[in-house]
Amino acid sequence: MMRVGIVGASGITGGELIRLVIQHPEFELTYLGGRSSVGRTPAQLHPGLRLDLGLTVEAVDPDALAERCDVVFLATPAPASVRLAEQLAGRVACVADLSGAFRIRDPKLHDRWYPKARRSAELADRFVYGVPELIGDQLVDAALISVPGCYATAITLGLAPLVQALGLSLRTVVVDGKSGSSGGGIQLRVPDLHPFRNGAIAPYAPTGHRHAAEVSDFLGQSKPGSIGSLAMSAYGVSHVRGLLASVYAYTDDAVDQRELQRAYLRFYKDHRFVRVRRHNETLIPMPDPQAVLGSNYCDVTVMYDQDAERIVVLAALDNLIKGAAGQAVQAVNRRFHLPEDMGLTMQPVMPT
Ligand SMILES: NC(=O)c1ccc[n+]([C@@H]2O[C@H](COP(=O)([O-])OP(=O)(O)OC[C@H]3O[C@@H](n4cnc5c(N)ncnc54)[C@H](OP(=O)(O)O)[C@@H]3O)[C@@H](O)[C@H]2O)c1
């Protein structure tokens, strides 16, 4: 059994991690860490988890974490993750950080999007960017894992076959992202209050989003194709969880609709968590966050829009699971040579 600690246990992804870890056959939850929630039980913090786990949230103590854990999930803001990673690197078998602190390799790009999370180049270089479908082998025995962002996961999984399998040179990629309110965590912010959020389509990042920088940083090095520029606008919508990334890619290369779909099916055929949707095969034919909620799936489809000469990729996932806690568990499974889907076989809850 792997002894598991969660720092940020009171938070929204921390709660999801608790739920997944206590159901995982090879994980034993041994430590909950936090700051303002110290002394509280999971049941007090997460109304859905009315279980006596025999644990309360403790002030973060790196020595205690090192002694009582093999794996530590950091579900904390990026600046806190930097400090904790510095304290824990080399002292536990694996640290999996859910924040953006170590996702962007390029130091300038990182500092632009995460100015409060200053990290050393030496530590950043030791992190593996944990998107298991694309770099699974690098996760085996990885000591430090940076779990990709929620939008970044959907966009990356959506674009990867175009660049890596079809070898397309994408001149311009434009992403339109729509996400539910849980994407912002449990912090109180006026625009997120019910009177403003309910029924809203709120453009909160119309001219740029740090997850676009994350995708460019990671997929920008992919071959044999390439990505020129990648732009993103993001909107908050009124549901609680789930996101949809609509990705429009422009290329001068020849594109064939049937070959596109075949390439996606081939690319993900051995990856159970990416479901390539074929048009008209179900009641809801297109990727829709509703159809993945509560699961670790990312639903993807690809089409060619002949009139506008653009490739349209749609990708939907649950931001708290495949976009956060589920993907973190999936990556840690790979790290410890466990089946990638261990503890993650739950099916979506629908209707919600
Ligand atoms: N929400 C999402 O959809 C999502 C998806 C992917 C990744 N993420 C990333 O995951 C991380 C957590 O997100 P979240 O949405 O779960 O945030 P959240 O709900 O706001 O929770 C933040 C947690 O961090 C803890 N924390 C803050 N500062 C700390 C410190 N100095 N030391 C120890 N604990 C500290 C808080 O503990 P106390 O309550 O005890 O103070 C709280 O448990 C963030 O980096 C976020 O960007 C979030």
Side-chain angles (χ1 to χ4, degrees), residues 138-199:
Q138 292 175 44
L139 286 166
V140 176
D141 297 329
L144 299 169
I145 297 171
S146 174
V147 182
C150 49
Y151 275 129
T153 299
I155 302 164
T156 300
L157 292 174
L159 281 174
L162 298 180
V163 185
Q164 297 183 356
L166 288 161
L168 297 178
S169 301
L170 306 176
R171 193 177 357 105
T172 306
V173 175
V174 178
V175 180
D176 170 297
K178 300 186 189 69
S179 173
S181 57
S182 63
I186 47 162
Q187 306 304 311
L188 282 179
R189 281 177 291 249
V190 172
D192 287 338
L193 295 176
H194 188 264
F196 303 107
R197 187 73 189 227
N198 187 43

Side-chain angles (χ1 to χ4, degrees), residues 18 43 59 181 219 232 241 300 336:
I18 297 174
S181 57
L219 270 188
M232 176 169 175
R241 56 201 288 168
V300 176
F336 287 104

Side-chain angles (χ1 to χ4, degrees), residues 7-14 33-38 57 60 74-78 80 83-84 98-100 103 148-150 182-187 210 319-320 323-324:
V7 183
S10 72
I12 206 150
T13 56
R35 195 172 52 172
S36 58
S37 58
V38 168
V57 177
V60 181
L74 302 178
T76 42
R83 278 195 304 280
L84 290 161
L98 278 71
S99 84
R103 292 180 193 150
C150 49
S182 63
I186 47 162
Q187 306 304 311
R210 54 197 187 178
N319 55 298
L320 298 180

Side-chain angles (χ1 to χ4, degrees), residues 125-144:
D125 285 348
R126 289 161 64 195
F127 270 84
V128 174
Y129 186 72
V131 52
E133 286 77 8
L134 303 184
I135 54 97
D137 292 347
Q138 292 175 44
L139 286 166
V140 176
D141 297 329
L144 299 169

Side-chain angles (χ1 to χ4, degrees), residues 96-140:
D97 175 34
L98 278 71
S99 84
F102 298 98
R103 292 180 193 150
I104 300 178
R105 274 180 194 284
D106 181 297
K108 281 202 185 122
L109 204 56
H110 169 81
D111 290 349
R112 177 172 166 215
W113 289 102
Y114 294 92
K116 294 184 182 157
R118 296 282 166 163
R119 59 190 197 183
S120 73
E122 188 272 324
L123 185 61
D125 285 348
R126 289 161 64 195
F127 270 84
V128 174
Y129 186 72
V131 52
E133 286 77 8
L134 303 184
I135 54 97
D137 292 347
Q138 292 175 44
L139 286 166
V140 176

